Structure formats: C-alpha cells, structure tokens
Amino acid sequence: MKIPPLLTSSSSSSPLLRKTRLSPYLFTLLAFILFVTLLYSEDFTCIFEGQFTTHTPPIHTIKMRREKPPFAVVVDDDRKCDVFSGRWVWDEETTPMYEESDCPYIQPQLTCQKRGRPEKDYQHWRWQPWDCSLPRFNASLMLESLRNKRMMYVGDSLNRGQYVSMVCLLHTVIPHEASKSMHTNGSLTIFTAKDYNATVEFYWAPFLLESNSDDAVIHRISDRIVRKGSINKHGKHWKGVDIMVFNTYLWWMTGLNFNILQGSFDDEVKDIIHVSTEDAYRMAMKSMLRWVKKNMDPKKTRVFFTSMSPSHSKSIDWGGEQGGNCYNETTLIEDVNYWGSDTRKSIMQVIGEVFETSKVPITFLNITQLSSYRKDAHTSIYKQQWSRLTPEQLANPVSYADCVHWCLPGLQDTWNELLFAKLFYP
C-alpha cells in the first residue's frame, strides 16, 4: 500500500489542505465582525463594565462616558462653564418660582409688593451664564438631600435674605402647614421640615467673630468693635451642621479703619487697636477657615461662602443723576464691566488671596458682579421701616430708600439657584 506524503507548508496542492481553507464569504464575515468590534470597543466596555472588574477602563473611555451636569460645557478637556459670568434674560414663564403672598416667612423688610411696589418686573429676570444654563432649582431634590440633616446660613441680614429665599423655595413643596414650622430664639432662627427631619437655619453673626453688634434685635451700632480670635463664641452653635453658608461684608464698611478688641468685652479697660478694614476682614476670613478645618468633616459636610452683596446708593455710578440712588429704578445696568463705588474691590482681593492660599474645602459663591447689574431689585422704599417716617423723608423718598436689601421673590432666589448648582453639580 502506498503511503501518502506528509503535509507541509509547501503542500499547497494537497486536496486535504484545500478542504480546510476558509470560504471567502466566511472570511469576509469574520473580518467585518473584527472591524465592528474594534470600532465600538468603548461601547462594549461601557456595557460590560459592571460585570467585569479585572481591569480599569482607559482614561479616555471614562471621559467619554462621564455624565455632564446640565449646565456644564466642556470647551477644552475638562474646563467647565463659569456659572457666575453671564447676563440677565427676561423670563415670565419660569420666574418667579413662588409668590410673595404664598410665603408667610418673608420679613416685612423684604415684602415689596405688600408695601406698595407698583410693578413686578424685578421678579421676571433669570440669570443666564454665557456658555451654559443653570439647572432648574428642584425643591423636592433639595429637601430629600436634607433628610435627617441641618443646613445653616451664618452672617448678616443679607444672608438672612438668602436664607428666607431658600425657605420659601422649599416651603412650596410642603403642602401641609402641620409639616413645617419656623421659630426664633435669640440669634438662631430654625425652619423645620418635619416629614424630612430636616432643618434650615439662620444664625445672626454679622462679623462671624464676637462683636458689639451681636444682639439679634439691638445691633445698629455705629462704633463697631470686633474681638480678635473669638469665632468660637458663635461657632459652638454651628457644630453638627451638614451644609453651611457663610457671609460677612456689609458691617465691615465703616470707613478705612476698623476697631479690633484684644482681650475681652468684660475687661474694665479695653485694649482696642485700629487696623485697616482690609486687615480686619482678612483676620475674620482666616478665623472662619480655621474653624471650618477644625470642626467640619469635608467628607460629610459642604461649606459655602457668599461674596459681597453690592448696594446701589449712587446713581452717578451708572450714569444717573447726582444725588439719586436705587429709588424708582426698574431697569438693569447693561454694562457688563460695571462695578459700583459702594463695592470695595480691595475686600474682593482679600477674599481671593485668603481662599487661594487655603487648603480648606469651601465653595465660593461669587454673586457680586451678577448682582451689581440689578439696581432694580432692591427694596427701596417698599419695606416696613424701623420707625415712623418723618415729613422730610416722605417728601423726599430718595432719602430713605433701602438700596442694600433685596425684594423677595427676586435676586436672592438666583443666589440659591447657584448654590443648588454647586451643591449637586460641583
């Protein structure tokens, strides 16, 4: 019997080899499958990522798959939109987010409609960043995130306005009156959402540190004194808070110099030194950051600082008449570079210097520039005054117009929209 030759690589004419060759159609199909697999390999990685953990997906895969916040725009690599830079747009459909008459928690100081303001245009402006959009404030989501937690605003009456704005925003989704309450005890005001075991609180501390203006009712003192290194006097009431919002600015603006107490207010002879307002403010900022570092766990808490709230006391700043102010102003300032003389740039520089060198995790809410455009949004004469108006004041409304505080609903709702954006889409 004849034995067939062994098959080698040169046996191309062998009938057996010809039988094992791939069909051209099968080869084409396999090549197509390989091509599709390579083309969509990142998508397959996404599909199976939860099932296979033997390797880490490449960085570029994570970037392509990562969810972007609703307001974020990636220009180059991972640079996000600056939500504090933009313009105001007219919006009657989504603003205001609540009605003044529906929120019983607004102080008479801020209820402009009840006090006779004849128009509501100031309520219908929405902040629009240049390259993106803010997420719509979601009161239900905010409340759910506050379940079994405390949120606190600490500062002066401007921070109290932002606090009341937040309460009004949350109050709208708590229909039953028995499920919510608000009470004040000295410097502390607490709004409770009972079904959530959550509180939103305000603590009066206009300088953050101990001062001679700490009384929650009687605090309008012209010769203001702040005690150095005394933040724990108030800070002991802030411990255990989960979301903290600080502000302090307006009360420091008493002139070029400020009074700092070394020692105690109980000392018979008080050791008071005079320093520049900038140095005094820097001292307060550093004390605040030290307190946060020592008392708040960055893994469990979020800390915010709201920048200077501008006032509009000099209409010549925006091209108005000499001697005028925010009274009777119903339009916005359109100059994007506008910066009023009432807003001290040197204080903004102090904030920048202190925060830049600090490693304490704190989110800066830069509301100063965007609020500067809103000369229309102040309470002006439409507020309850501390005392009965004099005939001279009544004859000249400009003389008693409040160009510091803001009507609600209004501008300060936007501050909380920005806070909401940074809280959920940092």
Side-chain angles (χ1 to χ4, degrees):
M1 184 175 64
K2 190 174 181 180
I3 301 175
L6 295 175
L7 292 175
T8 65
S9 59
S10 60
S11 305
S12 58
S13 61
S14 165
L16 181 59
L17 182 59
R18 283 197 299 270
K19 289 181 181 180
T20 61
R21 280 183 176 173
L22 294 175
S23 163
Y25 301 105
L26 182 58
F27 179 84
T28 302
L29 178 61
L30 290 173
F32 177 76
I33 292 173
L34 178 62
F35 171 76
V36 171
T37 301
L38 293 173
L39 181 63
Y40 294 100
S41 61
E42 290 181 356
D43 292 335
F44 289 136
T45 304
C46 295
I47 293 171
F48 295 115
E49 181 188 3
Q51 302 176 34
F52 298 100
T53 58
T54 55
H55 70 285
T56 302
I59 293 177
H60 70 276
T61 304
I62 296 174
K63 286 185 177 180
M64 292 182 66
R65 188 175 62 253
R66 185 182 55 204
E67 291 185 11
K68 306 294 191 302
F71 66 88
V73 174
V74 177
V75 181
D76 292 316
D77 300 324
D78 291 329
R79 287 188 296 169
K80 295 181 180 179
C81 174
D82 179 6
V83 295
F84 305 112
S85 177
R87 65 194 184 281
W88 290 98
V89 297
W90 182 257
D91 182 355
E92 291 187 82
E93 295 184 2
T94 66
T95 60
M97 289 181 279
Y98 57 90
E99 294 294 332
E100 176 189 299
S101 58
D102 292 337
C103 186
Y105 307 107
I106 308 176
Q107 305 100 316
Q109 186 183 29
L110 309 177
T111 50
C112 298
Q113 290 298 306
K114 186 175 181 179
R115 305 299 160 183
R117 182 158 179 165
E119 42 74 41
K120 292 185 176 181
D121 287 0
Y122 65 93
Q123 297 182 3
H124 295 297
W125 292 100
R126 174 174 55 81
W127 180 246
Q128 177 63 57
W130 291 115
D131 300 312
C132 52
S133 294
L134 286 173
R136 179 73 172 168
F137 185 90
N138 187 325
S140 298
L141 175 59
M142 189 71 196
L143 271 174
E144 191 57 49
S145 71
L146 288 173
R147 186 179 291 277
N148 301 318
K149 290 182 172 62
R150 297 172 63 197
M151 180 178 188
M152 180 181 283
Y153 291 78
V154 173
D156 58 24
S157 58
L158 288 161
N159 215 21
R160 182 172 58 205
Q162 187 178 357
Y163 159 73
V164 173
S165 163
M166 177 62 76
V167 169
C168 290
L169 290 166
L170 299 179
H171 148 80
T172 59
V173 295
I174 308 176
H176 303 295
E177 292 303 317
S179 298
K180 52 196 171 186
S181 66
M182 178 183 279
H183 70 273
T184 299
N185 183 13
S187 296
L188 184 63
T189 300
I190 302 176
F191 172 80
T192 303
K194 298 177 183 179
D195 293 341
Y196 295 85
N197 189 32
T199 62
V200 183
E201 309 171 27
F202 170 73
Y203 186 93
W204 171 264
F207 297 100
L208 304 185
L209 282 70
E210 182 182 3
S211 75
N212 61 349
S213 300
D214 284 344
D215 190 291
V217 178
I218 305 172
H219 49 245
R220 296 198 298 168
I221 301 171
S222 58
D223 191 21
R224 296 166 187 167
I225 303 172
V226 169
R227 181 185 166 210
K228 183 178 180 180
S230 60
I231 197 167
N232 287 328
K233 191 260 186 178
H234 298 307
K236 62 186 178 184
H237 300 284
W238 311 338
K239 293 182 178 181
V241 170
D242 300 281
I243 301 174
M244 177 72 83
V245 186
F246 289 107
N247 101 303
T248 183
Y249 167 66
L250 184 67
W251 284 68
W252 296 91
M253 299 299 106
T254 60
L256 298 178
N257 294 314
F258 203 88
N259 301 320
I260 300 298
L261 173 66
Q262 299 189 114
S264 170
F265 279 104
D266 295 329
D267 294 341
E268 185 175 347
V269 179
K270 295 178 176 57
D271 181 10
I272 297 176
I273 61 173
H274 306 284
V275 301
S276 71
T277 300
E278 288 74 15
D279 285 343
Y281 192 85
R282 182 180 287 105
M283 174 196 68
M285 289 295 95
K286 290 184 176 181
S287 292
M288 177 192 70
L289 292 174
R290 282 195 298 268
W291 187 92
V292 170
K293 183 178 181 180
K294 182 178 179 180
N295 295 280
M296 307 202 82
D297 183 352
K299 296 180 181 179
K300 298 179 181 179
T301 60
R302 285 294 301 277
V303 183
F304 298 85
F305 182 83
T306 304
S307 67
M308 303 179 299
S309 176
S311 57
H312 294 86
S313 300
K314 301 174 183 177
S315 56
I316 57 172
D317 286 351
W318 57 85
E321 296 181 359
Q322 179 78 29
N325 54 27
C326 70
Y327 171 67
N328 220 21
E329 292 287 351
T330 58
T331 60
L332 280 61
I333 295 173
E334 298 181 0
D335 179 7
V336 295
N337 297 314
Y338 173 80
W339 192 276
S341 60
D342 290 337
T343 308
R344 198 178 293 189
K345 285 187 176 181
S346 58
I347 295 296
M348 204 70 164
Q349 291 171 348
V350 169
I351 296 173
E353 292 167 3
V354 174
F355 276 57
E356 186 178 16
T357 58
S358 173
K359 295 182 180 180
V360 177
I362 187 168
T363 302
F364 184 57
L365 297 178
N366 189 1
I367 56 86
T368 306
Q369 184 77 69
L370 63 92
S371 303
S372 294
Y373 306 138
R374 297 300 307 275
K375 61 183 170 66
D376 66 308
H378 291 287
T379 54
S380 184
I381 65 171
Y382 306 108
K383 55 177 283 187
Q384 180 171 307
Q385 303 295 319
W386 284 94
S387 57
R388 188 180 298 275
L389 298 176
T390 66
E392 291 76 18
Q393 287 176 317
L394 290 171
N396 182 19
V398 173
S399 68
Y400 66 91
D402 182 346
C403 298
V404 172
H405 298 95
W406 311 92
C407 299
L408 286 179
L411 171 67
Q412 291 189 299
D413 301 320
T414 298
W415 296 4
N416 281 319
E417 283 187 285
L418 292 162
L419 187 155
F420 176 84
K422 290 296 183 180
L423 182 64
F424 290 99
Y425 309 96

PDB file of all heavy atoms in Angstrom, residues 283-299:
ATOM      1  N   MET A 283      -8.443  88.986  58.837  1.00  0.00           N
ATOM      2  CA  MET A 283      -8.424  88.264  60.107  1.00  0.00           C
ATOM      3  C   MET A 283      -9.685  87.408  60.261  1.00  0.00           C
ATOM      4  O   MET A 283      -9.623  86.242  60.667  1.00  0.00           O
ATOM      5  CB  MET A 283      -8.336  89.263  61.258  1.00  0.00           C
ATOM      6  CG  MET A 283      -8.443  88.653  62.652  1.00  0.00           C
ATOM      7  SD  MET A 283      -8.783  89.901  63.922  1.00  0.00           S
ATOM      8  CE  MET A 283     -10.452  90.391  63.500  1.00  0.00           C
ATOM      9  N   ALA A 284     -10.834  87.965  59.904  1.00  0.00           N
ATOM     10  CA  ALA A 284     -12.091  87.227  60.018  1.00  0.00           C
ATOM     11  C   ALA A 284     -12.136  86.046  59.056  1.00  0.00           C
ATOM     12  O   ALA A 284     -12.591  84.951  59.412  1.00  0.00           O
ATOM     13  CB  ALA A 284     -13.272  88.153  59.754  1.00  0.00           C
ATOM     14  N   MET A 285     -11.655  86.250  57.827  1.00  0.00           N
ATOM     15  CA  MET A 285     -11.658  85.165  56.839  1.00  0.00           C
ATOM     16  C   MET A 285     -10.780  84.002  57.302  1.00  0.00           C
ATOM     17  O   MET A 285     -11.150  82.833  57.185  1.00  0.00           O
ATOM     18  CB  MET A 285     -11.147  85.687  55.486  1.00  0.00           C
ATOM     19  CG  MET A 285     -12.087  86.624  54.755  1.00  0.00           C
ATOM     20  SD  MET A 285     -13.628  85.847  54.233  1.00  0.00           S
ATOM     21  CE  MET A 285     -14.693  86.299  55.601  1.00  0.00           C
ATOM     22  N   LYS A 286      -9.609  84.322  57.829  1.00  0.00           N
ATOM     23  CA  LYS A 286      -8.700  83.273  58.297  1.00  0.00           C
ATOM     24  C   LYS A 286      -9.286  82.543  59.499  1.00  0.00           C
ATOM     25  O   LYS A 286      -9.134  81.312  59.622  1.00  0.00           O
ATOM     26  CB  LYS A 286      -7.335  83.871  58.626  1.00  0.00           C
ATOM     27  CG  LYS A 286      -6.556  84.327  57.391  1.00  0.00           C
ATOM     28  CD  LYS A 286      -5.167  84.831  57.760  1.00  0.00           C
ATOM     29  CE  LYS A 286      -4.365  85.191  56.524  1.00  0.00           C
ATOM     30  NZ  LYS A 286      -2.991  85.671  56.865  1.00  0.00           N
ATOM     31  N   SER A 287      -9.956  83.284  60.387  1.00  0.00           N
ATOM     32  CA  SER A 287     -10.594  82.643  61.544  1.00  0.00           C
ATOM     33  C   SER A 287     -11.689  81.686  61.085  1.00  0.00           C
ATOM     34  O   SER A 287     -11.829  80.585  61.624  1.00  0.00           O
ATOM     35  CB  SER A 287     -11.180  83.708  62.475  1.00  0.00           C
ATOM     36  OG  SER A 287     -10.170  84.465  63.086  1.00  0.00           O
ATOM     37  N   MET A 288     -12.462  82.108  60.089  1.00  0.00           N
ATOM     38  CA  MET A 288     -13.525  81.254  59.566  1.00  0.00           C
ATOM     39  C   MET A 288     -12.961  79.967  58.983  1.00  0.00           C
ATOM     40  O   MET A 288     -13.459  78.862  59.260  1.00  0.00           O
ATOM     41  CB  MET A 288     -14.313  81.998  58.491  1.00  0.00           C
ATOM     42  CG  MET A 288     -15.416  81.170  57.820  1.00  0.00           C
ATOM     43  SD  MET A 288     -16.077  81.980  56.345  1.00  0.00           S
ATOM     44  CE  MET A 288     -14.681  81.828  55.207  1.00  0.00           C
ATOM     45  N   LEU A 289     -11.908  80.080  58.190  1.00  0.00           N
ATOM     46  CA  LEU A 289     -11.323  78.897  57.564  1.00  0.00           C
ATOM     47  C   LEU A 289     -10.706  77.956  58.597  1.00  0.00           C
ATOM     48  O   LEU A 289     -10.807  76.735  58.470  1.00  0.00           O
ATOM     49  CB  LEU A 289     -10.280  79.322  56.527  1.00  0.00           C
ATOM     50  CG  LEU A 289     -10.838  80.030  55.284  1.00  0.00           C
ATOM     51  CD1 LEU A 289      -9.717  80.547  54.402  1.00  0.00           C
ATOM     52  CD2 LEU A 289     -11.746  79.100  54.484  1.00  0.00           C
ATOM     53  N   ARG A 290     -10.072  78.528  59.620  1.00  0.00           N
ATOM     54  CA  ARG A 290      -9.520  77.681  60.684  1.00  0.00           C
ATOM     55  C   ARG A 290     -10.626  76.928  61.410  1.00  0.00           C
ATOM     56  O   ARG A 290     -10.478  75.745  61.740  1.00  0.00           O
ATOM     57  CB  ARG A 290      -8.708  78.531  61.668  1.00  0.00           C
ATOM     58  CG  ARG A 290      -7.320  78.911  61.194  1.00  0.00           C
ATOM     59  CD  ARG A 290      -6.457  79.429  62.337  1.00  0.00           C
ATOM     60  NE  ARG A 290      -7.011  80.637  62.934  1.00  0.00           N
ATOM     61  CZ  ARG A 290      -6.688  81.875  62.551  1.00  0.00           C
ATOM     62  NH1 ARG A 290      -5.822  82.058  61.579  1.00  0.00           N
ATOM     63  NH2 ARG A 290      -7.229  82.917  63.159  1.00  0.00           N
ATOM     64  N   TRP A 291     -11.747  77.634  61.650  1.00  0.00           N
ATOM     65  CA  TRP A 291     -12.871  76.985  62.330  1.00  0.00           C
ATOM     66  C   TRP A 291     -13.429  75.835  61.487  1.00  0.00           C
ATOM     67  O   TRP A 291     -13.705  74.750  62.002  1.00  0.00           O
ATOM     68  CB  TRP A 291     -13.970  77.996  62.635  1.00  0.00           C
ATOM     69  CG  TRP A 291     -15.058  77.397  63.483  1.00  0.00           C
ATOM     70  CD1 TRP A 291     -15.139  77.408  64.844  1.00  0.00           C
ATOM     71  CD2 TRP A 291     -16.199  76.665  63.019  1.00  0.00           C
ATOM     72  NE1 TRP A 291     -16.257  76.734  65.265  1.00  0.00           N
ATOM     73  CE2 TRP A 291     -16.934  76.262  64.160  1.00  0.00           C
ATOM     74  CE3 TRP A 291     -16.682  76.323  61.763  1.00  0.00           C
ATOM     75  CZ2 TRP A 291     -18.115  75.528  64.075  1.00  0.00           C
ATOM     76  CZ3 TRP A 291     -17.858  75.586  61.660  1.00  0.00           C
ATOM     77  CH2 TRP A 291     -18.563  75.195  62.807  1.00  0.00           C
ATOM     78  N   VAL A 292     -13.577  76.059  60.194  1.00  0.00           N
ATOM     79  CA  VAL A 292     -14.088  75.023  59.293  1.00  0.00           C
ATOM     80  C   VAL A 292     -13.158  73.815  59.289  1.00  0.00           C
ATOM     81  O   VAL A 292     -13.600  72.670  59.375  1.00  0.00           O
ATOM     82  CB  VAL A 292     -14.262  75.582  57.861  1.00  0.00           C
ATOM     83  CG1 VAL A 292     -14.553  74.456  56.875  1.00  0.00           C
ATOM     84  CG2 VAL A 292     -15.387  76.618  57.831  1.00  0.00           C
ATOM     85  N   LYS A 293     -11.854  74.081  59.200  1.00  0.00           N
ATOM     86  CA  LYS A 293     -10.881  72.982  59.174  1.00  0.00           C
ATOM     87  C   LYS A 293     -10.941  72.145  60.443  1.00  0.00           C
ATOM     88  O   LYS A 293     -10.835  70.909  60.398  1.00  0.00           O
ATOM     89  CB  LYS A 293      -9.469  73.547  58.979  1.00  0.00           C
ATOM     90  CG  LYS A 293      -8.388  72.482  58.877  1.00  0.00           C
ATOM     91  CD  LYS A 293      -7.025  73.114  58.633  1.00  0.00           C
ATOM     92  CE  LYS A 293      -5.943  72.046  58.507  1.00  0.00           C
ATOM     93  NZ  LYS A 293      -4.604  72.658  58.262  1.00  0.00           N
ATOM     94  N   LYS A 294     -11.139  72.788  61.564  1.00  0.00           N
ATOM     95  CA  LYS A 294     -11.130  72.095  62.849  1.00  0.00           C
ATOM     96  C   LYS A 294     -12.450  71.397  63.155  1.00  0.00           C
ATOM     97  O   LYS A 294     -12.462  70.338  63.793  1.00  0.00           O
ATOM     98  CB  LYS A 294     -10.810  73.092  63.968  1.00  0.00           C
ATOM     99  CG  LYS A 294     -10.719  72.460  65.357  1.00  0.00           C
ATOM    100  CD  LYS A 294     -10.355  73.501  66.408  1.00  0.00           C
ATOM    101  CE  LYS A 294     -10.291  72.872  67.808  1.00  0.00           C
ATOM    102  NZ  LYS A 294      -9.943  73.884  68.842  1.00  0.00           N
ATOM    103  N   ASN A 295     -13.560  71.941  62.690  1.00  0.00           N
ATOM    104  CA  ASN A 295     -14.864  71.474  63.159  1.00  0.00           C
ATOM    105  C   ASN A 295     -15.742  70.788  62.123  1.00  0.00           C
ATOM    106  O   ASN A 295     -16.766  70.219  62.488  1.00  0.00           O
ATOM    107  CB  ASN A 295     -15.649  72.652  63.746  1.00  0.00           C
ATOM    108  CG  ASN A 295     -15.005  73.215  64.992  1.00  0.00           C
ATOM    109  OD1 ASN A 295     -15.142  72.674  66.078  1.00  0.00           O
ATOM    110  ND2 ASN A 295     -14.285  74.329  64.831  1.00  0.00           N
ATOM    111  N   MET A 296     -15.371  70.829  60.846  1.00  0.00           N
ATOM    112  CA  MET A 296     -16.234  70.253  59.824  1.00  0.00           C
ATOM    113  C   MET A 296     -15.479  69.200  59.016  1.00  0.00           C
ATOM    114  O   MET A 296     -14.353  69.438  58.571  1.00  0.00           O
ATOM    115  CB  MET A 296     -16.799  71.332  58.912  1.00  0.00           C
ATOM    116  CG  MET A 296     -17.491  72.456  59.678  1.00  0.00           C
ATOM    117  SD  MET A 296     -18.678  73.417  58.720  1.00  0.00           S
ATOM    118  CE  MET A 296     -20.113  72.364  58.815  1.00  0.00           C
ATOM    119  N   ASP A 297     -16.119  68.057  58.827  1.00  0.00           N
ATOM    120  CA  ASP A 297     -15.526  66.946  58.086  1.00  0.00           C
ATOM    121  C   ASP A 297     -15.861  67.105  56.612  1.00  0.00           C
ATOM    122  O   ASP A 297     -17.031  67.019  56.225  1.00  0.00           O
ATOM    123  CB  ASP A 297     -16.100  65.623  58.617  1.00  0.00           C
ATOM    124  CG  ASP A 297     -15.480  64.407  57.940  1.00  0.00           C
ATOM    125  OD1 ASP A 297     -14.725  64.583  56.966  1.00  0.00           O
ATOM    126  OD2 ASP A 297     -15.773  63.274  58.386  1.00  0.00           O
ATOM    127  N   PRO A 298     -14.863  67.355  55.752  1.00  0.00           N
ATOM    128  CA  PRO A 298     -15.139  67.577  54.325  1.00  0.00           C
ATOM    129  C   PRO A 298     -15.778  66.375  53.627  1.00  0.00           C
ATOM    130  O   PRO A 298     -16.357  66.526  52.559  1.00  0.00           O
ATOM    131  CB  PRO A 298     -13.751  67.893  53.745  1.00  0.00           C
ATOM    132  CG  PRO A 298     -12.778  67.298  54.719  1.00  0.00           C
ATOM    133  CD  PRO A 298     -13.423  67.420  56.061  1.00  0.00           C
ATOM    134  N   LYS A 299     -15.676  65.189  54.231  1.00  0.00           N
ATOM    135  CA  LYS A 299     -16.299  64.006  53.640  1.00  0.00           C
ATOM    136  C   LYS A 299     -17.800  63.947  53.922  1.00  0.00           C
ATOM    137  O   LYS A 299     -18.526  63.200  53.269  1.00  0.00           O
ATOM    138  CB  LYS A 299     -15.627  62.739  54.177  1.00  0.00           C
ATOM    139  CG  LYS A 299     -14.155  62.606  53.790  1.00  0.00           C
ATOM    140  CD  LYS A 299     -13.561  61.324  54.361  1.00  0.00           C
ATOM    141  CE  LYS A 299     -12.086  61.190  53.991  1.00  0.00           C
ATOM    142  NZ  LYS A 299     -11.482  59.955  54.575  1.00  0.00           N
TER     143      LYS A 299
END
